[in-house]
Amino acid sequence: MTTVRRAVLTLPAAPLGPDNPLPALRAPAGAGAHAVDPRTLAELPRDMARGIGRDPLRSLLPAPVRDGYGRERTPADLDTIVIENDRLRVTVLPGLGGRVHSLHHKPTGRELLYRNPVFQPAAFALNGAWFSGGVEWNIGATGHTTLSCSPLHAATVRAPDGGPMLRLWEWERLRDLPFQVDLWLPEGSDFLYVGVRIRNPHERTAPVYWWSNIAVPEDRRVLAPADAAWHHGYERGLSRVPVPVTEDGTDRTYPLNSTHAADWFYDLPEGRRRWIAALDADGTGLVQTSTDPLRGRKLFVWGTGRGGRRWQEWLTEPGTPGYAEIQAGLARTQLEHLELAAGAEFSWLEAYGPIAADPATALGEDWSDARADVERSLSGALPRATVDAAYTAWREEAADLAPEEVLAAGSGWGALEVLRGGHELPGTPFPESTLGPEQEPWRELLRTGVLPAPVNGAAPLIAPLVASPWRDMLETAPADPTTEYQLGIAQWHAGDRAQAVRSWERGLKEAATRWPLLYCLAVADREDGHPERAADHFEEAFTDHEATAGGTESATGPGTTAGADDDEGRALVATALGREALDALLAVDRPDRARALWHRLPDSARRRGAFRLIEVRLLLAERRPDEARAVFDAGFEVADLHEGAEVLGELWQRFTDELLPDAYEFRMRPS
């Protein structure tokens, strides 16, 4: 019998900490790592180029930046949901994006995934905190979802065969779309079935992105039914190359044959069954297959170079075997987005399970025979027709069923959108009971037409909403500083930057607490090419916060911990503003003013790795290279160093020709 039950997993874990209290007005920090240069874009197939250019993120709004985590791990209990039959045991983390942490095959005793032995956030999600391992569900935009470390709603539902099924669902806020992931194990099955649905309840077309990201041990061969792939490194290129052996004579289907980090998006022919497999030396491993709408398949490798090895250590524990990622997505590449029509949906079914092929053939030099052998094994274990029939049964009989026993709660943002829009979403209820303190000001705006002002002149740190219906309500609400602040954020997100600046300037005239508006104006100055003015505004924002820190301001902001005490809240804001101000002052070569601000930071901030990095920049600006070198020699870790960052190597080269120490080597492309 298949069962679904709650359990607890204890892992060494670094706490997530509070989110950044400043609104995320800028595009993701690591967006450049996934860019394609214009010359390459012009040479791509027209539909691919359109998908790559479709609706790029102008900001992370309304999601918060999650950068409050560190690198100190202590044992912690993580809530899990376990789905189990007599063949498989599946462990899911509902509080961390619904990640499948483990897929254990009982008859062989094999773990089919790469299972991370620690929980260590790192800055790989679009909004920051992300962790490696297992199977993650990526929705939103190119990159790892903003929900990587966020709770999803979870409940049991009846599966198509009458057994229990786990449903995960949430409202994805970057694209303003609800989605669901249904996981079940038919009795006696060696395969986990996963039904996915993304719905567009709006009266407009929406851009959609989805990739199921599967971590597997890197000492594998990865096979997919393709003779070519689109290769994307970290050099802004995208080129079509042969599979398995590229022009340089290297078989790239073995992750350990690559020196540098890279993506290989397999070009699957139309009409062929969709699958990807990772096999070890004896021909066994994991296979993932799906119905046809999940078109893309990908291999990501870290490479054997020093940068890739360092990232592998960074994301887990030194001495832990490395991993690669095999992935499946809606488009051919992760750089593309599809269009979902108003009122329409995308839905498909995936299956994950063990595969056993003839090692002499599947790992042999004849690529055609290797693929055919794996496909024969897959057909014997799980025929294509069985997958198609399971999808039809799920979509017609189970996808709309109401949840039964609630196992975990997500956010209240979906409930707020359903309350505003009156959306009917069978199968994924967002009841008003899930509304919380973050949604309450917006519920009040919806009810009365007035956004409540902070008490006693406190900062207007209400978690933002930016969709056009909320922007329309803000435009007709009474124009006090809180409303002007939020209206400007919504206008900025919509691309109306000039009007956003006017709203913030209007709010500034009457604001008792000025720093939130000054911060927004500073970002606008920097984005519009006025770095000196931006530095002035950032510095002024820090000073205003410093002057008002004795007031009633709390840390309840966009994604921050509601109810944090005043001291914690003030330190959090001072740290976030100080980091921005120092960066801006150094960018315009004002080390004297940067040094003066440095001394006004909280002691806790100056000890953080990110600020040790700023200290190196400051010392170099002050022409004190020996002291900058001493900071490196003493050692520091920037917990939120983002994907593709090369700043450590660039700074090191400013004071020495020596080889960059391994501890600071995070470069993901050839020198």
Side-chain angles (χ1 to χ4, degrees):
M1 294 292 292
T2 298
T3 60
V4 176
R5 57 183 170 84
R6 291 188 182 95
V8 174
L9 173 69
T10 302
L11 290 178
L16 279 171
D19 292 346
N20 194 303
L22 307 177
L25 300 176
R26 283 169 289 183
H34 304 289
V36 176
D37 67 77
R39 183 176 59 183
T40 299
L41 199 63
E43 298 172 352
L44 297 176
R46 186 170 299 177
D47 62 331
M48 182 181 287
R50 280 198 303 267
I52 291 173
R54 180 172 289 127
D55 293 295
L57 292 179
R58 288 188 288 259
S59 75
L60 280 171
L61 293 167
V65 172
R66 314 202 71 177
D67 59 2
Y69 52 87
R71 301 279 303 164
E72 294 184 7
R73 297 189 289 267
T74 56
D77 292 339
L78 304 178
D79 291 333
T80 68
I81 299 172
V82 176
I83 314 166
E84 190 166 11
N85 65 5
D86 60 338
R87 310 290 294 177
L88 287 173
R89 182 169 60 248
V90 185
T91 304
V92 179
L93 302 172
L96 295 169
R99 182 82 58 101
V100 176
H101 174 72
S102 170
L103 187 60
H104 177 79
H105 187 235
K106 294 181 179 182
T108 61
R110 289 176 177 263
E111 173 58 50
L112 300 180
L113 304 172
Y114 167 77
R115 183 176 56 192
N116 198 331
V118 304
F119 172 68
Q120 176 56 63
F124 276 67
L126 288 165
N127 63 334
W130 171 87
F131 65 106
S132 64
V135 183
E136 62 174 315
W137 318 112
N138 285 299
I139 181 173
T142 300
H144 296 279
T145 176
T146 61
L147 297 168
S148 292
C149 292
S150 296
L152 303 189
H153 299 282
T156 56
V157 186
R158 288 294 101 188
D161 62 359
M165 178 169 73
L166 172 63
R167 173 161 300 158
L168 306 167
W169 73 99
E170 241 311 348
W171 197 283
E172 199 284 315
R173 301 180 69 207
L174 288 185
R175 301 305 194 182
D176 206 20
L177 300 174
F179 71 99
Q180 73 188 74
V181 180
D182 288 355
L183 304 96
W184 75 101
L185 291 172
E187 187 173 349
S189 175
D190 280 305
F191 283 83
L192 170 68
Y193 288 3
V194 182
V196 184
R197 174 165 62 172
I198 305 170
R199 286 186 274 198
N200 180 7
H202 307 296
E203 297 179 354
R204 54 171 173 76
T205 299
V208 169
Y209 169 94
W210 181 280
W211 282 79
S212 302
N213 185 356
I214 309 147
V216 294
E218 66 181 352
D219 58 344
R220 298 290 189 266
R221 189 184 202 187
V222 174
L223 299 97
D227 292 311
W230 293 93
H231 170 250
H232 178 261
Y234 285 77
E235 300 158 294
R236 304 175 68 89
L238 187 65
S239 58
R240 196 169 186 269
V241 298
V243 173
V245 179
T246 52
E247 291 90 341
D248 63 359
T250 304
D251 187 339
R252 301 292 180 177
T253 62
Y254 289 90
L256 291 173
N257 283 353
S258 292
T259 304
H260 300 286
D263 301 321
W264 310 87
F265 299 103
Y266 295 111
D267 199 357
L268 274 60
E270 291 295 332
R272 293 291 300 273
R273 185 176 187 182
R274 315 295 196 195
W275 59 269
I276 190 168
L279 305 182
D280 60 19
D282 63 4
T284 62
L286 171 76
V287 66
Q288 187 269 3
T289 188
S290 72
T291 50
D292 288 350
L294 202 65
R295 175 184 185 181
R297 293 298 186 276
K298 169 193 164 181
L299 165 64
F300 167 77
V301 300
W302 283 107
T304 58
R306 291 203 307 146
R309 294 300 94 189
R310 181 65 177 121
W311 275 117
Q312 294 259 29
E313 293 177 352
W314 188 254
L315 297 171
T316 179
E317 289 184 326
T320 302
Y323 74 96
E325 294 171 356
I326 58 174
Q327 303 186 21
L330 284 173
R332 281 171 295 187
T333 74
Q334 284 182 326
L335 311 180
E336 301 167 74
H337 296 75
L338 304 184
E339 287 186 336
L340 182 57
E345 70 174 48
F346 287 138
S347 61
W348 64 92
L349 186 130
E350 306 179 42
Y352 297 77
I355 188 77
D358 173 24
T361 305
L363 307 182
E365 294 184 2
D366 190 311
W367 180 240
S368 179
D369 286 350
R371 292 180 324 186
D373 187 67
V374 174
E375 194 148 0
R376 279 193 298 272
S377 297
L378 174 59
S379 295
L382 187 68
R384 185 177 186 177
T386 300
V387 175
D388 291 340
Y391 166 75
T392 299
W394 167 73
R395 185 62 194 86
E396 294 179 355
E397 302 170 19
D400 287 347
L401 290 178
E404 297 175 357
E405 181 187 1
V406 174
L407 300 176
S411 78
W413 295 113
L416 187 65
E417 292 302 327
V418 168
L419 189 64
R420 181 202 57 76
H423 306 301
E424 294 186 7
L425 300 167
T428 56
F430 294 95
E432 285 192 50
S433 60
T434 61
L435 292 168
E438 284 193 310
Q439 293 82 42
E440 191 54 39
W442 298 101
R443 188 182 191 183
E444 186 70 10
L445 174 66
L446 188 62
R447 187 178 66 85
T448 67
V450 178
L451 190 66
V455 177
N456 298 329
L461 292 183
I462 299 169
L465 284 176
V466 295
S468 56
W470 296 104
R471 188 173 71 248
D472 292 344
M473 281 184 268
L474 289 168
E475 287 175 345
T476 58
D480 59 26
T482 298
T483 302
E484 296 286 13
Y485 170 70
Q486 292 290 344
L487 175 58
I489 291 173
Q491 291 164 333
W492 179 268
H493 175 265
D496 192 353
R497 295 189 170 187
Q499 189 57 55
V501 169
R502 284 192 285 271
S503 295
W504 292 326
E505 289 175 340
R506 284 195 305 268
L508 195 60
K509 293 177 182 178
E510 303 294 334
T513 300
R514 295 162 49 86
W515 67 260
L517 294 146
L518 289 167
Y519 166 77
C520 292
L521 290 170
V523 174
D525 287 333
R526 181 154 59 189
E527 296 293 299
D528 291 340
H530 304 291
E532 291 84 3
R533 197 165 67 201
D536 290 338
H537 272 138
F538 278 124
E539 189 177 14
E540 188 180 355
F542 183 88
T543 300
D544 181 77
H545 172 262
E546 195 175 39
T548 58
T552 57
E553 176 183 318
S554 78
T556 306
T560 59
T561 305
D565 62 50
D566 289 341
D567 289 342
E568 181 183 345
R570 286 192 290 269
L572 183 65
V573 173
T575 298
L577 285 175
R579 189 173 179 180
E580 295 278 4
L582 287 167
D583 181 71
L585 288 167
L586 291 173
V588 295
D589 196 23
R590 296 178 183 173
D592 292 345
R593 288 166 63 174
R595 177 60 69 183
L597 193 147
W598 173 268
H599 289 302
R600 294 151 57 192
L601 289 169
D603 291 340
S604 59
R606 286 196 296 265
R607 291 193 296 268
R608 291 179 57 181
F611 284 86
R612 299 300 304 280
L613 179 61
I614 290 174
E615 185 180 13
V616 171
R617 294 176 56 202
L618 179 53
L619 289 166
L620 288 171
E622 294 171 330
R623 295 176 173 80
R624 298 157 66 184
D626 291 343
E627 292 173 72
R629 168 66 184 262
V631 176
F632 269 88
D633 290 344
F636 64 92
E637 293 183 326
V638 183
D640 61 338
L641 194 72
H642 65 76
E643 180 182 6
E646 299 182 351
V647 62
L648 292 170
E650 292 167 355
L651 290 175
W652 177 262
Q653 291 171 353
R654 289 180 59 183
F655 53 74
T656 181
D657 293 329
E658 297 174 23
L659 183 68
L660 181 68
D662 288 345
Y664 303 114
E665 179 57 274
F666 291 93
R667 290 172 289 195
M668 299 175 70
R669 59 178 179 168
S671 299

